[in-house]
Amino acid sequence: MAPSAQSRHRTASRTPRSVRIAATVVAAALPVTAVAVSLDGGTPGATASPAPAAPATGPAVINDAFPTRDSADADTYVPSDESVWRDAVYDDAGNRLPNVEELKVHSPAMDRDIPVVTIRAKEDAANAPTIYLLNGADGGSGKANWLSQTTAIDFYGNRIGNVNVVIPMSGGFSYYTDWQQESGLDGDGNGNGGVQKWETFLTSELPGAMEQGHLGTSSDKRAIVGMSMTGSTSLVYAEHNPGMYDAVGSYSGCPATSGAGATAVDATLAMKGTGVTYEQMWGDRNGATARYNDAQVNVAELGDQQNIYVSSGTGLLGEHDVWSSPDVNRNLINESTVAGQGSPIEAVTNGCTHMFKAAADKAGVSDNITWNFHNTGTHQWAYWREDMYQSWPTLSAGLFGPESVADAQAVGDQAYDDYHASL
């Protein structure tokens, strides 16, 4: 049965009063992705001007999966120091894991090759829907990615089994958006490529070539999930492309990104240390392009989007932040990271998410969203693992229909319980 209004708003009674917070935090260990926010960016419920014309493009070109790690390493299209994620794709002998692929995908809009990892459906592959997972600030080039930090391969590939998962393993500090100008982030590790056009790639070039082409599924059902930096991106993609996604997930994101909200973006870009600027990405931070890419400004565009899951912690230390927890592992640096950085970052995203809820309430779209405001939790992967399990009923409702929710709840709950039993 479909989630009830009560379940969709099960945490609303715990919502603290909105706060005005501004913070700038850098560095990512454990890894923790830095975010900084000013919460008065954008006008709730307002709709920005239309986007500039998209670049001329064609379908992505997808090469065959690399059979071994040696063959992937030998290609050199990904610098060796940006491919830690390969540890999760290949076994100790260097052979790729069952149903997991590393693909070299060429984007016509960016004229560069991009690493994409897929987790293929093992059951009913001919009709399997597709879930796109977006990494956080570093785009997966370090250890902060879905493959290295979560059980995504087991959860989606084995416990669920009848979905395809697609994860781009590049695009750090880009917000996965179409940039306006050239920057120090253009190109791949070999210097190939031009101005970043990530939204064009992920919403126009890749889906058809990947889903009906490479994966060979007949399903047109798809979901998109982002966390931290891409917690806003997943919402923006849904706003820009009505009807494209059947479910959307946003974990610990900061939806307000224009005007005063640009502070969050500034801090994220500063982490890269290349001097790239907000203006290179979206131009004037109060201009039409910036506002078009602000999920809070355009929240009313989610009026027809169903099955949205939005979550955040409070910044208060929780069970995954204590000295003995696996993610801290009795390490003083780890403990100082979650307490000194992850805590204030999540406090900021919590305020951001409550501001987004206020905007959604005003725009009349809150009933489309499952709000999960955790009582505790810092800005780190342990809590996003939980969100992966807890959001599955919402995603499943969009991908398989409301009749799937009970079974999806059982699968998510079991994965959640097994995760906690392993701690």
Side-chain angles (χ1 to χ4, degrees), residues 13-61:
S13 61
R14 297 198 297 270
T15 301
R17 61 190 179 91
S18 296
V19 293
R20 183 182 180 90
I21 304 172
T24 301
V25 186
V26 294
L30 272 194
V32 178
T33 303
V35 178
V37 186
S38 178
L39 294 180
D40 59 354
T43 302
T47 302
S49 301
T57 186
V61 178

Side-chain angles (χ1 to χ4, degrees), residues 29-32 149 316-343 377-383 385 419 423:
L30 272 194
V32 178
Q149 297 296 327
L316 297 175
L317 298 185
E319 63 178 312
H320 301 301
D321 306 305
V322 298
W323 183 248
S324 60
S325 66
D327 286 82
V328 174
N329 197 27
R330 295 179 170 83
N331 182 290
L332 186 60
I333 294 177
N334 292 347
E335 181 65 26
S336 65
T337 298
V338 297
Q341 297 176 2
S343 178
T378 62
H379 204 71
Q380 61 130 316
W381 279 97
Y383 298 101
R385 292 174 206 139
Y419 170 50
L423 299 178

